[in-house]
Amino acid sequence: MIQIPDLANATPIQIIFCILSFITLATAFLTIYSRNPIHSAIYLVICFFSIAGHYLLLNAQFLAIVHVIVYSGAIMILFLFTVMLMNLNKENEVYKPRVTRLGAIVLFCLMCLVLIAIFINSKPIVGEYITTGEDYQSIKVLGKVLLNEYMVPFEFASVLLLVAMIGAVLLSKKEKLGK
C-alpha cells in the first residue's frame, strides 16, 4: 500500500524531498507537454537541477555537481543550439495522424499501469547491508572504479556522446537547394 507522508510531523529533509519531487515531476511533464521546443528545453534544465538536488539529499555531492555540469551545462546547451539552428516553424511542422497519437496515448497508459503494478507489488529491501568502510565519495576511489571495473561502459558512454554531438551538428546543417 502506498503511504503518503504526514507533512505535519515531517523533518525538513522530507519536506525538501517532497518539494524537489514535485518540481521534478511537474517539469518533466511540462517538458513533454510544451509545444514550444525552447520552453521544453528550459523545463528539462529545471528538471535536471531538481534531480541534482535529490543527489545532494543522498549525500552524493560529486555526482550532483557532475550531473549539473554534464547534463544541464553541456548536453542541454547542445540541444538548445540544435533546436535554434533547425529553425522550427509551424508551417514546416509535420502533423501526426490521430491514430498515431491515440496509439501513443494508449501505450503510455499501459506503461504507467505496468509501472504502478510493479511499484505496488514490490517489497521493501530489508536485511543487512554489507559495508566496506570505503569512501565512494572520493574522486580518487571513483576514478579507480570507473577506469578499472567499468572501463568498457565508460567508453561506450563517451562514444554515445560523440555520436550524439555529430548527429546534432549534421541535423543543424542546412541542405543546399540546387547545384
Side-chain angles (χ1 to χ4, degrees):
M1 182 60 78
I2 299 173
Q3 294 180 359
I4 299 173
D6 181 21
L7 291 180
N9 299 326
T11 63
I13 299 293
Q14 291 173 331
I15 293 172
I16 292 171
F17 175 79
C18 289
I19 292 170
L20 281 175
S21 297
F22 175 76
I23 292 171
T24 303
L25 292 174
T27 54
F29 177 75
L30 287 172
T31 299
I32 297 169
Y33 187 71
S34 178
R35 291 184 184 268
N36 188 341
I38 302 296
H39 291 165
S40 292
I42 290 171
Y43 290 136
L44 191 58
V45 167
I46 296 169
C47 183
F48 284 158
F49 274 107
S50 63
I51 290 172
H54 284 286
Y55 288 142
L56 288 175
L57 287 178
L58 292 171
N59 201 19
Q61 293 88 4
F62 178 73
L63 191 58
I65 295 301
V66 168
H67 180 80
V68 166
I69 291 170
V70 171
Y71 286 106
S72 301
I75 293 176
M76 281 311 301
I77 295 301
L78 184 67
F79 284 166
L80 276 175
F81 282 144
T82 303
V83 166
M84 288 180 184
L85 287 173
M86 285 176 63
N87 193 15
L88 298 174
N89 294 328
K90 288 285 186 189
E91 59 268 2
N92 294 339
E93 188 175 330
V94 178
Y95 289 98
K96 304 280 187 229
R98 289 188 190 266
V99 175
T100 306
R101 286 191 254 167
L102 182 65
I105 291 170
V106 168
L107 185 65
F108 174 75
C109 292
L110 286 174
M111 295 264 310
C112 286
L113 288 174
V114 168
L115 289 175
I116 289 171
I118 290 172
F119 181 72
I120 289 173
N121 293 328
S122 65
K123 294 184 174 30
I125 299 173
V126 289
E128 289 289 319
Y129 291 104
I130 300 171
T131 59
T132 61
E134 200 166 1
D135 180 24
Y136 285 102
Q137 285 295 314
S138 169
I139 297 173
K140 184 177 181 181
V141 174
L142 185 63
K144 284 182 182 178
V145 169
L146 273 179
L147 296 176
N148 288 334
E149 296 176 30
Y150 298 106
M151 181 66 166
V152 174
F154 187 68
E155 290 299 322
F156 282 154
S158 65
V159 169
L160 181 68
L161 288 174
L162 178 66
V163 168
M165 183 177 67
I166 292 170
V169 169
L170 289 176
L171 282 175
S172 66
K173 287 181 76 173
K174 298 205 186 262
E175 294 181 19
K176 296 187 180 185
L177 296 175
K179 290 187 175 183

